[in-house]
Amino acid sequence: MDLQKELNKTGGFKNLDLLAKQVVEGFIAGMHKSPFHGFSAEFAEHKIYNQGESTKHIDWKLYAKTDKLFTKRYDEETNLRCHLIIDNSSSMHYPELRTFSIDHLNKIAFTALASASLIHILKKQRDAIGMSVYSDSYTYYAPEKGSERHHQMLLHQLSELVVSKPENKQTETYTFLHQIAEKIKRRSLIFFFTDMLQTSVDQEKLFEALRHLKYNKHEVVLFHVFDKEKEVLFDFDNSPKRYVDVETGEHINLYAENIRDNYKEAVRTYFETIKLKCGQYRIKYVEADINKKFDNILTTYMVERQKFG
């Protein structure tokens, strides 16, 4: 047995499906404090009534409780197609962890659990879900389907991502977003998880690729995944450290204090540029700090699903 190899293995999630259920149930329990009050317990079995639809299936009891019109849903209904796009480059595996739990996540584990939670809700809503994964190659594609077997296949793939530990995998977002856009034929709600760390392609080309998704009439939500404490605030102690670019292998030795202010300003400017570009192209931008809960992700889903018509 190669002891070092065994020590470097990550345990991954013991039961991603169960964790996702806990995340969703915790979110629903907290919804009484949110603008969705009254919608929480029933949302899986109902959809918002749209003007002009038949009033035959309106749930009047729910209307009495919520003062909002919902129609009952039926097994054969699939009102939404959703596609998850996941950046699995080396930088998404920061920070390096050996064990994972709801409160102990790196970027890819946060993305996997957030995606599993969305799958859990979409399954309850009887919607169709697809998924694409890429790094320096387009490694996984599953078209939008709604079967239980399909859900389990996606959850297995998400669990595998967490332990995959790709080394020196750079991000070819520009190339693969164009390919993904060509594959998703029918109008869908697209959730894109990425840390937006690119080494080889300028931002204009990246946003060109995102616009390709918009041309096909999809609604696109960009979840910008990052570790705020380390990657934004540069909260490292002031002992000399070697900082390594996990995608290229390049490194630099320095004291954090010497560059912290300049680093934070550069990151702030970069984040503002991303937000501005998303606004220009009508892509919804959502910050996804891995040290926070998943409420931001799931609330975004609720808002976008109601708007998607």
Side-chain angles (χ1 to χ4, degrees):
M1 179 194 293
D2 185 333
L3 187 59
Q4 192 56 47
K5 199 175 270 187
E6 290 300 310
L7 287 172
N8 286 339
K9 275 187 181 174
T10 53
F13 289 119
K14 295 289 179 280
N15 189 329
L16 184 57
D17 198 12
L18 185 63
L19 281 180
K21 189 178 178 187
Q22 284 176 28
V23 168
V24 173
E25 286 175 352
F27 170 69
I28 292 171
M31 280 175 75
H32 65 279
K33 300 170 188 166
S34 79
F36 299 101
H37 177 52
F39 188 43
S40 57
E42 293 88 0
F43 82 93
E45 304 303 328
H46 293 78
K47 66 172 185 176
I48 287 178
Y49 171 77
N50 293 312
Q51 202 166 358
E53 287 182 342
S54 167
T55 57
K56 187 166 72 171
H57 300 302
I58 288 177
D59 188 330
W60 295 107
K61 285 183 182 176
L62 187 55
Y63 174 72
K65 283 198 281 180
T66 64
D67 203 28
K68 292 175 186 166
L69 289 173
F70 295 96
T71 56
K72 291 180 180 177
R73 308 195 55 202
Y74 295 92
D75 284 352
E76 68 276 9
E77 286 193 59
T78 296
N79 292 324
L80 182 92
R81 302 175 72 81
C82 178
H83 199 87
L84 305 171
I85 302 176
I86 296 173
D87 169 3
N88 188 39
S89 55
S90 297
S91 63
M92 286 289 285
H93 289 256
Y94 177 84
E96 191 171 318
L97 300 174
R98 290 211 177 92
T99 57
F100 301 91
S101 66
I102 286 181
D103 303 313
H104 190 59
L105 302 165
N106 60 11
K107 289 188 281 186
I108 197 66
F110 180 94
T111 295
L113 185 47
S115 298
S117 302
L118 289 171
I119 289 170
H120 186 80
I121 295 180
L122 288 157
K123 183 165 72 171
K124 281 186 171 293
Q125 300 274 123
R126 303 181 184 94
D127 291 325
I129 315 151
M131 189 165 80
S132 290
V133 179
Y134 72 91
S135 55
D136 60 350
S137 59
Y138 188 176
T139 53
Y140 184 80
Y141 167 73
E144 297 77 31
K145 292 182 183 176
S147 70
E148 179 59 28
R149 184 180 175 191
H150 183 73
H151 297 143
Q152 292 305 317
M153 185 179 74
L154 296 183
L155 290 170
H156 174 73
Q157 183 65 28
L158 289 169
S159 293
E160 289 294 304
L161 289 184
V162 175
V163 296
S164 62
K165 291 184 73 174
E167 292 184 11
N168 296 342
K169 290 286 189 185
Q170 298 185 30
T171 320
E172 298 290 346
T173 300
Y174 166 72
T175 305
F176 300 117
L177 279 188
H178 282 300
Q179 291 182 21
I180 292 165
E182 291 299 323
K183 277 184 174 289
I184 307 171
K185 301 296 185 190
R186 291 172 63 184
R187 184 169 177 260
S188 301
L189 178 56
I190 294 174
F191 293 120
F192 177 28
F193 290 88
T194 177
D195 57 8
M196 293 297 286
L197 296 177
Q198 303 276 6
T199 52
S200 58
V201 174
D202 66 52
Q203 293 306 309
E204 277 309 315
K205 287 190 173 181
L206 171 58
F207 279 96
E208 253 178 53
L210 284 167
R211 284 176 75 190
H212 189 170
L213 292 174
K214 293 295 290 183
Y215 291 146
N216 291 348
K217 307 294 186 207
H218 305 303
E219 291 299 321
V220 182
V221 178
L222 191 155
F223 288 119
H224 188 184
V225 185
F226 56 86
D227 180 342
K228 187 170 185 178
E229 190 179 295
K230 301 298 186 192
E231 294 182 314
V232 179
L233 302 177
F234 208 62
D235 186 11
F236 295 95
D237 65 57
N238 202 38
S239 59
K241 285 186 174 61
R242 170 168 289 190
Y243 296 88
V244 181
D245 183 331
V246 291
E247 296 199 357
T248 65
E250 293 177 29
H251 65 268
I252 185 171
N253 300 318
L254 49 80
Y255 289 88
E257 195 175 90
N258 293 349
I259 66 155
R260 184 176 288 118
D261 289 345
N262 288 340
Y263 174 90
K264 284 166 68 175
E265 180 57 26
V267 169
R268 188 194 66 77
T269 302
Y270 179 51
F271 276 35
E272 286 302 318
T273 302
I274 295 169
K275 288 177 195 172
L276 188 65
K277 286 286 187 187
C278 283
Q280 282 176 356
Y281 298 142
R282 298 182 69 187
I283 293 162
K284 188 175 182 74
Y285 173 89
V286 180
E287 288 192 355
D289 178 5
I290 65 171
N291 302 303
K292 291 192 173 177
K293 291 184 177 177
F294 295 90
D295 291 15
N296 211 15
I297 309 287
L298 300 182
T299 300
T300 299
Y301 160 77
M302 299 292 284
V303 171
E304 293 304 308
R305 193 188 198 290
Q306 288 183 43
K307 283 165 35 182
F308 196 87

